[in-house]
Amino acid sequence: MKKGTLIRAIAAALALVAAPASADAHLINTTLGDFYGGVLHPLSGPEDVVPWFALAVLASIQDSRNARWLLFVFPISLVGGALLSVVAPALSISPAWNLAVIVVTGLAVAAAAKLPFPVFVGLGTLIALLHGYHNGQAMTQDTDRLLFICGVAAVGYVFVTLITALAISFLQGGMEWRLIALRASGSWVAAVGVIMIGLQLRTSAM
Amino acid sequence: MKIASLKASLALATIFALMPLAPAFAHTGTGTSAGLLSGFMHPITGVDHLVAMVAVGLWGAQLGNPAIWILPIAFPLVMAIGGLFGVSGFDLPFTEIMIAISGIALGLAVAMNIRPPLWVAALLVSVFAVFHGYAHGRELPEAADPLAFGVGFVVATGLLHLCGIVIGVLTRWPAGAQLVRASGAAIGAIGGYFLLSAMGLVA
């Protein structure tokens, strides 16, 4: 790299880093606070991230038709679930449902199962509806529901798309151990789900 | 000279500018992060768990395909059943002794390069997995975030298997194979120490 180019590149980097920007401690003032609230809510714990990860890895094992449909169905179902939480906020959905889908999805990955199209899309829809509803319940009266739900759908779409793309790219190396590594991650997810079902049963019994 | 000095100053300034200023958290030991960390550290800080998990990976690598992938995939699933026992408060006897024996048995299997039929290896590893899972499961209800604790200890267990498998790659070379067998002997000896400890014979 020429000296002049290097200096210009460093100057540009410095200008970018030092660019003055206001620090918004309270994002509500930017009118986008609830959008970021929706984005961050599913990422603040493993309840959503773990099954989303497993679903995305499962999508990478399926044929391309299944994977493409998931990217379409998943965010829409998240929105559907979140809207359902607005319309019917007091539905009694057992936590066992969430845990059961974790186990099923993890086992499907561990077995590298190629699921029929309706079963795979149905599983993705069920997970998204459950998680959309669960995340939607976090909205309060002051929350801008449109922004929050858009945030949840956006992060769900981006997360599943990125992990699916990464997993497909990882598998394209063609070596057998790559699929084994993904299958092992599925067994981890299923194991977590089984243990949590046990904890749920214990909590229910107490 | 001047240009070189300017470039060095600019590079230094860039590095300082890019350094993230992390906020200081007064209370970090709560919630998801604490649950995840404590779960992750549980198999790693317990040497009896650690050596047995590494031995599973080593043995899988020694046995080759398909054991190299069946054992690490089966282990977490069976371990989860042990975890169920632990979470439910079921009293599984001889847990510490069986965990120590798992170190001895798996270490010896690696040291002596024992090659049983796959189902025997899977059964042996599965029996031990129940006891390891039980020990982790007993801790889970007390965790700050039980789900995060579960994720932590399952991931740590899997990564320890991976460590064993990676070390087991050495079996491709004669000297490496000897080193792997020596590692197995060391694991067996550590298991022996924990067995004596569990029986109250050493402090």
Side-chain angles (χ1 to χ4, degrees), chain A residues 6-110:
Chain A
L6 178 70
I7 291 171
R8 274 197 291 276
I10 293 173
L14 275 177
L16 198 64
V17 170
S22 58
D24 289 305
H26 304 283
L27 281 169
I28 193 71
N29 297 333
T30 66
T31 70
L32 278 172
D34 288 325
F35 177 81
Y36 292 114
V39 167
L40 290 174
H41 195 263
L43 302 179
S44 59
E47 294 86 354
D48 297 293
V49 171
V50 170
W52 289 6
F53 171 83
L55 185 66
V57 172
L58 185 60
S60 73
I61 296 169
Q62 309 302 306
D63 60 32
S64 54
R65 179 176 170 234
N66 279 9
R68 284 187 197 128
W69 269 96
L70 178 71
L71 303 185
F72 176 69
V73 165
F74 192 76
I76 291 176
S77 302
L78 277 173
V79 171
L83 288 175
L84 189 63
S85 76
V86 176
V87 179
L91 283 182
S92 62
I93 300 175
S94 167
W97 277 100
N98 278 318
L99 298 173
V101 293
I102 291 179
V103 175
V104 169
T105 315
L107 285 177
V109 174

Side-chain angles (χ1 to χ4, degrees), chain A residues 1 3 6-7 10-11 13-14 17-18 44-48 50 99 102 106-107 110-111 176 179-181 183-202, chain B residues 3 6-7 10-11 13-14 17-18 32 65 68-69 72-74 76-77 79-81 83-84 86-89 133 137 140-142 145-148 150-155 157-159 161:
Chain A
M1 186 183 279
K3 282 178 187 172
L6 178 70
I7 291 171
I10 293 173
L14 275 177
V17 170
S44 59
E47 294 86 354
D48 297 293
V50 170
L99 298 173
I102 291 179
L107 285 177
E176 194 186 7
L179 179 60
I180 293 169
R183 292 179 66 176
S185 73
S187 75
W188 297 0
V189 171
V192 170
V194 168
I195 293 167
M196 292 315 297
I197 285 176
L199 187 65
Q200 184 61 41
L201 290 173
R202 174 193 157 116
Chain B
I3 289 178
L6 180 67
K7 273 166 64 179
L10 281 172
T14 308
L18 291 175
T32 302
N65 210 7
I68 193 169
W69 62 270
I73 289 178
L77 294 173
M79 185 175 74
I81 295 168
L84 273 179
V87 165
S88 62
L140 196 129
E142 316 300 330
D145 183 332
L147 179 56
V151 171
F153 88 70
V154 169
V155 169
T157 300
L159 291 178
H161 291 159

Side-chain angles (χ1 to χ4, degrees), chain B residues 20-31:
Chain B
L21 298 175
F25 292 111
H27 307 283
T28 56
T30 57

